[in-house]
Amino acid sequence: MKSHAKVVVIGGGVVGASVLYHLTKAGWKDVLLIERAELTSGSTWHAAGGMHTVNGDPNVAKLQQYTIELYKEIEKISGQSCGVHITGGIMLASTQERLDWLKMAKARGRYLGMDLEIISVDEAEKLFPLMDKRHFKGAMYDPIEGHVDPYGVTHAYAKSAQIGGAEIVRHTRVTDLQQRADGSWDVITDGGNVHAEHVVNAAGLWAREVGRMVGIELPILAMEHQYLITGDMPELVGKKEQLHAIDFEGEIYIRQERGGMLMGTYERAGVPWSEVATPWDFGQDLLPNDLERIAPSLEVGFQHFPALESAGIKKVVNGPFTFAPDGNPLIGPVKGLKNFWVACGVMAGFSQGGGVGLALSRWMVDGDPGADVWGMDVARYGDWTTLAFTNAKVRENYSRRFSIQFPNEELTAARPLRTTPIYEKLAAEHAVFGAYCGLEHPLWFAPSAAEAVDHVSFKRSNAHPHVGAECAAVRDAVGLLEISNYGKFEVKGPGTAEWLSHVMANRVPSVGRIALSPMLNDRGKLIGDFTMCRVAADHVLLIGTYAAESYYLRWFERLLPPSGVSVRPCAMEYVGLSVAGPHSRALLQSLVRDDLSTAAFPFMSFRRMEVGMVPAYVGRVSFTGGLGYELWVTTDYQRALYDSLMKAGREFGIRPFGGRALNAMRLEKSFGTWAREYRPIYGPYEAGLGRFVDLKKERFIGRSAAAEEKESGGALRLLGFRVDATDADALGDEPIWHDGKVVGWVTSGAFGHRVGASLALGYVPAAVAAAESGFEIEIIGERRNAVPLKGAAFDPSGALMRV
Ligand SMILES: Cc1cc2nc3c(=O)[nH]c(=O)nc-3n(C[C@H](O)[C@H](O)[C@H](O)COP(=O)(O)OP(=O)(O)OC[C@H]3O[C@@H](n4cnc5c(N)ncnc54)[C@H](O)[C@@H]3O)c2cc1C
């Protein structure tokens, strides 16, 4: 084994082999893969090898498309067959809700160029005669589904990488990782040491253990997974290879395997494997079968596919593979650890391995993944993902793999975990809570405890009228919202203003003022949107998206000078409440000595005040788009602040409101939000944030790309729409049609109660953005007329925010 390499990839499963291949393809030849045993010695060797393009996250779906297309390329380079069988697949719906879900999945696939089709049960039966059509209501057909040979794929990647210059060392275990002062790594193995500039943790079943070598606890857990192969079936003799099928109700996937069928389940009673530590002596081993556990799924399977019952079981495979809490991979550089990369938690290696390898290699070589990989970024998790939290969420995710998650459905595992001091007080007001980064926050308030439950639905739910009443309170009187679930950073030091001016696209506000600012990457794309609150010359409170805290910190770390400025995350040190509505000023004025008149404390002001007995930062700003204030206090004061606002607010008609009402109101103002309207695939002018980009500044990150975008106008435009929808609103990811063609996609949607209309925000090509008509938005399979808005639906002049 060589003693130095630019990159050491730890792990020779399908993911490590793909990363290795993609690094050579991107031009890095001095790369070494170290594998403990033979290639495929983790989850890979016993996988069922199924692959498909459909994924809840369109950006992950794109990378899945890429993976499937890649197999031809690596077969050609390596001469190694991947054993690709493209059979096509059907997803079977037994309920109307599932059929609606399929229609939505088909619609999402439209703008990704997927050729999905909703078919009747009769058509489905023709394609897949093993099904008993009496159990189903309809199906979706996908021509690009199939399966591969896991051994063949891994070796095809590995050989292609070797042809490209990579080296692979087998039967060598990495036992420790030690970082040198310059950020490079000593990779300690039982066969000698290697000095590497970069290390990639692609250790699959052992990724947690490799993470622990560098002091991190990666949120992944292995689950046992079983599939069985039937005996040969006369029904298959002389027939074309059967399609892949997913039967959601049975939690079953099924495909042909030689003369029989392979059937796997994601059973409700899923069992984790090696919950705390994965044994190093586990190799190409299987776990004992437990057919009892999957019996309920098998029973449904035998009813739905009767020929299987008489075929008999030839073989059962029970093997472990890893999941992150949301079931998507964990990739990218790890905050605080220079040159340490992860590519793990990949639960669908044969659909996703290629895309993971591509994105990670680009990230390493070019400094940017080249695609929107937020849904897979390791930085989407933070300190709350303890071992037990991950355990609870992974079990839940596994057991719900084939369940529908409704847009208003809040999953229950690992809750409540994090709460603010007013949690019980809000519960007493009949709050229905959601969890965000493990933190409970109110979504809406029911009139009674008995009604404080969401009836899950793709349509407007039981919460609709109550959310409407909350919006009316904000429109006509005053509402109170808990805003603790925002991310916060304290930027301090003499270099604060200069550094922020370099990192943010907008100018840094003067002391006592607030400025909104996009944060751009070097390519001028949006990687954040912040509220900068200038506390003092050398002190700014930055407020942004909490879920992106690690993502932002990783970026800040890269840019911070050795001295003069520091950035400290303080999300849970400052918790907050917002009061909004025409009476919010009078309410707050009754509690503070400072003059809150517009002349003395205008829109976008920020100041330390005493609110009753509570010391607070008060900003005159509100995401509701009307008159409003955000109040930030240290956690110990939140109860007192809440009590005094609620007490004083009684005479002003105060009413608590939640995140659902806020979402509706921000849509009425066409205000975007991170991960929906603002993502690294959009530029600031495309996203309508041009007014927050200060091109008068000579230098800031992304300036030249932003200037070019301003000049060219960019390729896309974010538009607001009023949608002719009656009982269901757009949610996000629906296609936008124009003149009979899919031209764009919805990023968010909701009913705007203050304007009495269904609203959506979405991106369309700049060339069609000026059209005044001809738009439609597809909601649950139905194309609804959509009228593009010239400005915000509510208070387009913005006068109300400034009164
Ligand atoms: C029963 C079953 C059925 C499945 N069916 C499908 C399917 O149909 N479709 C699909 O896409 N996916 C399927 N999967 C999931 C699939 O197997 C995984 O997504 C994939 O194998 C993950 O690959 P990996 O490279 O991340 O991890 P692994 O395969 O676990 O590879 C990690 C490698 O790293 C090595 N390693 C670990 N630590 C060290 C160290 N310290 N030093 C050196 N080497 C080390 C290990 O020996 C191992 O070879 C299935 C899994 C199971 C268990």
Side-chain angles (χ1 to χ4, degrees):
M1 187 166 65
K2 56 184 174 180
S3 60
H4 181 274
K6 189 168 181 73
V7 183
V8 165
V9 177
I10 305 170
V14 64
V15 173
S18 168
V19 170
L20 193 72
Y21 166 63
H22 281 93
L23 283 170
T24 60
K25 197 176 166 187
W28 283 11
K29 309 286 179 194
D30 181 17
V31 291
L32 169 69
L33 184 146
I34 302 180
E35 165 55 48
R36 197 179 62 101
E38 285 297 339
L39 297 181
T40 77
S41 295
S43 301
T44 301
W45 74 277
H46 49 54
M51 56 181 188
H52 51 89
T53 49
V54 176
N55 187 288
D57 180 333
N59 296 291
V60 178
K62 269 189 231 166
L63 290 174
Q64 294 189 180
Q65 271 175 317
Y66 166 80
T67 302
I68 294 173
E69 282 156 18
L70 187 69
Y71 292 133
K72 281 190 224 90
E73 176 180 312
I74 54 173
E75 280 187 336
K76 198 161 158 221
I77 297 173
S78 65
Q80 163 76 51
S81 166
C82 294
V84 180
H85 291 237
I86 301 283
T87 56
I90 49 172
M91 294 187 164
L92 295 162
S94 314
T95 62
Q96 184 55 43
E97 270 114 0
R98 178 56 74 179
L99 197 54
D100 286 346
W101 184 90
L102 289 177
K103 285 179 190 163
M104 292 160 87
K106 171 193 156 67
R108 257 203 311 268
R110 281 189 207 277
Y111 65 79
L112 296 173
M114 289 180 183
D115 196 9
L116 307 171
E117 208 183 321
I118 299 292
I119 55 175
S120 68
V121 272
D122 290 329
E123 288 167 306
E125 191 194 31
K126 272 198 208 116
L127 289 169
F128 193 66
L130 293 179
M131 67 185 257
D132 179 346
K133 69 179 183 183
R134 288 172 308 170
H135 298 289
F136 300 103
K137 288 201 171 327
M140 182 169 79
Y141 174 67
D142 178 359
I144 322 262
E145 254 188 66
H147 56 99
V148 286
D149 164 24
Y151 174 95
V153 168
T154 311
H155 282 81
Y157 278 130
K159 282 186 190 155
S160 301
Q162 284 169 315
I163 290 166
E167 223 179 274
I168 295 178
V169 176
R170 295 170 168 82
H171 299 287
T172 303
R173 177 154 79 86
V174 173
T175 53
D176 200 6
L177 292 165
Q178 288 163 9
Q179 192 161 34
R180 295 191 184 178
D182 65 358
S184 63
W185 293 91
D186 285 313
V187 181
I188 317 296
T189 83
D190 55 10
N193 301 346
V194 190
H195 177 224
E197 258 173 68
H198 299 265
V199 168
V200 178
N201 175 1
L205 282 178
W206 295 266
R208 260 182 329 184
E209 282 63 29
V210 171
R212 286 172 191 157
M213 290 176 193
V214 298
I216 57 171
E217 191 62 43
L218 288 164
I220 42 179
L221 174 70
M223 296 291 293
E224 292 192 14
H225 181 71
Q226 298 184 79
Y227 64 80
L228 56 86
I229 297 172
T230 70
D232 288 354
M233 295 169 61
E235 292 82 353
L236 306 182
V237 176
K239 299 265 168 56
K240 215 170 105 206
E241 186 173 6
Q242 294 291 308
L243 300 185
H244 272 231
I246 290 180
D247 171 7
F248 293 99
E249 204 192 0
E251 278 131 0
I252 291 167
Y253 62 88
I254 175 170
R255 70 161 169 88
Q256 189 165 344
E257 174 70 20
R258 298 174 196 273
M261 294 298 287
L262 179 155
M263 183 159 93
T265 69
Y266 282 86
E267 68 279 11
R268 290 284 157 103
V271 167
W273 178 74
S274 292
E275 292 174 80
V276 179
T278 308
W280 286 108
D281 60 359
F282 188 80
Q284 294 204 344
D285 299 308
L286 288 175
L287 306 171
N289 303 331
D290 185 358
L291 287 179
E292 218 22 48
R293 198 165 74 224
I294 61 171
S297 294
L298 294 185
E299 205 172 300
V300 180
F302 292 150
Q303 276 169 22
H304 289 186
F305 312 102
L308 294 184
E309 192 165 9
S310 44
I313 296 173
K314 193 165 79 183
K315 182 177 170 190
V316 181
V317 170
N318 183 10
F321 66 120
T322 55
F323 294 77
D326 61 5
N328 274 334
L330 295 178
I331 73 166
V334 173
K335 151 180 84 86
L337 286 173
K338 193 169 170 206
N339 296 350
F340 184 81
W341 306 79
V342 296
C344 57
V346 182
M347 63 78 53
F350 302 96
S351 302
Q352 299 175 337
V356 164
L358 175 73
L360 194 79
S361 64
R362 283 191 179 166
W363 215 336
M364 295 176 71
V365 174
D366 306 333
D368 187 287
D372 185 345
V373 295
W374 167 246
M376 306 200 285
D377 194 330
V378 62
R380 70 190 184 278
Y381 290 114
D383 294 344
W384 65 90
T385 51
T386 55
L387 201 63
F389 174 93
T390 300
N391 190 303
K393 290 310 272 185
V394 169
R395 284 173 191 241
E396 179 184 61
N397 183 277
Y398 184 92
S399 71
R400 293 181 49 96
R401 170 124 180 96
F402 287 151
S403 306
I404 295 173
Q405 181 165 3
F406 290 91
N408 63 336
E409 184 171 12
E410 292 291 323
L411 302 183
T412 54
R415 294 182 58 195
L417 175 62
R418 309 174 72 193
T419 55
T420 60
I422 59 169
Y423 173 71
E424 273 84 16
K425 289 180 181 278
L426 296 172
E429 299 281 343
H430 318 307
V432 175
F433 290 95
Y436 176 75
C437 305
L439 178 71
E440 298 293 319
H441 65 109
L443 296 171
W444 59 281
F445 291 82
S448 68
E451 291 164 274
V453 59
D454 259 322
H455 299 164
V456 295
S457 171
F458 290 124
K459 303 198 168 156
R460 290 178 195 152
S461 74
N462 59 314
H464 186 76
H466 309 301
V467 171
E470 291 170 24
C471 294
V474 175
R475 183 191 59 207
D476 302 331
V478 57
L480 178 144
L481 172 78
E482 159 139 61
I483 50 172
S484 303
N485 57 343
Y486 294 3
K488 288 136 245 158
F489 300 91
E490 220 161 26
V491 188
K492 275 188 163 171
T496 294
E498 191 189 342
W499 182 74
L500 276 176
S501 177
H502 175 62
V503 175
M504 300 290 164
N506 204 352
R507 83 188 67 90
V508 180
S510 49
V511 174
R513 300 289 297 160
I514 294 172
L516 305 181
S517 180
M519 182 163 79
L520 308 180
N521 63 15
D522 301 301
R523 295 182 301 122
K525 298 294 183 196
L526 287 169
I527 55 168
D529 70 312
F530 285 95
T531 308
M532 295 190 275
C533 310
R534 188 86 179 262
V535 180
D538 59 355
H539 181 185
V540 169
L541 184 67
L542 272 187
I543 298 169
T545 304
Y546 190 24
E549 184 179 88
S550 297
Y551 176 88
Y552 295 146
L553 278 173
R554 195 174 60 195
W555 182 250
F556 294 155
E557 245 168 31
R558 200 165 119 175
L559 303 169
L560 274 170
S563 65
V565 55
S566 65
V567 178
R568 195 177 65 85
C570 54
M572 285 300 110
E573 266 167 61
Y574 289 106
V575 290
L577 295 173
S578 169
V579 284
H583 299 337
S584 56
R585 176 165 28 217
L587 159 63
L588 197 57
Q589 188 66 80
S590 73
L591 293 168
V592 303
R593 283 188 311 275
D594 307 62
D595 178 1
L596 294 183
S597 67
T598 294
F601 195 63
F603 181 54
M604 303 300 261
S605 296
F606 189 80
R607 197 182 298 161
R608 197 146 183 102
M609 294 182 192
E610 289 183 7
V611 184
M613 290 188 289
V614 175
Y617 284 124
V618 180
R620 199 191 137 176
V621 65
S622 170
F623 208 37
T624 61
L627 176 66
Y629 301 84
E630 289 181 350
L631 290 80
W632 301 104
V633 295
T634 52
T635 313
D636 44 346
Y637 287 111
Q638 198 199 22
R639 286 173 78 98
L641 180 67
Y642 175 83
D643 285 343
S644 51
L645 287 169
M646 287 301 279
K647 190 166 164 221
R650 239 177 262 142
E651 70 169 291
F652 300 100
I654 198 164
R655 175 180 179 133
F657 68 103
R660 296 255 171 87
L662 185 69
N663 188 47
M665 290 189 273
R666 65 119 186 145
L667 277 162
E668 289 172 321
K669 290 295 295 175
S670 294
F671 291 160
T673 187
W674 171 253
R676 305 294 332 170
E677 286 72 34
Y678 308 147
R679 298 186 69 118
I681 41 178
Y682 309 124
Y685 292 91
E686 293 177 328
L689 293 175
R691 64 190 185 286
F692 302 117
V693 178
D694 181 14
L695 288 175
K696 285 196 232 79
K697 287 198 297 185
E698 269 177 32
R699 267 194 299 275
F700 63 87
I701 295 173
R703 188 188 181 284
S704 59
E708 265 170 43
E709 192 193 311
K710 187 179 182 195
E711 185 70 25
S712 71
L716 300 169
R717 271 301 165 283
L718 182 66
L719 282 189
F721 295 93
R722 193 181 278 260
V723 191
D724 285 349
T726 44
D727 61 348
D729 304 299
L731 302 161
D733 295 332
E734 293 86 355
I736 302 176
W737 296 73
H738 185 252
D739 287 349
K741 274 206 245 80
V742 173
V743 294
W745 54 92
V746 171
T747 48
S748 317
F751 187 80
H753 292 271
R754 290 182 299 190
V755 298
S758 184
L759 300 171
L761 280 173
Y763 281 93
V764 299
V768 297
E772 297 196 351
S773 60
F775 288 101
E776 289 167 308
I777 290 178
E778 186 171 335
I779 300 177
I780 322 182
E782 253 184 76
R783 280 152 65 176
R784 311 288 186 139
N785 186 43
V787 181
L789 298 167
K790 294 269 180 257
F794 179 76
D795 187 31
S797 72
L800 286 178
M801 296 188 292
R802 295 177 171 81
V803 286

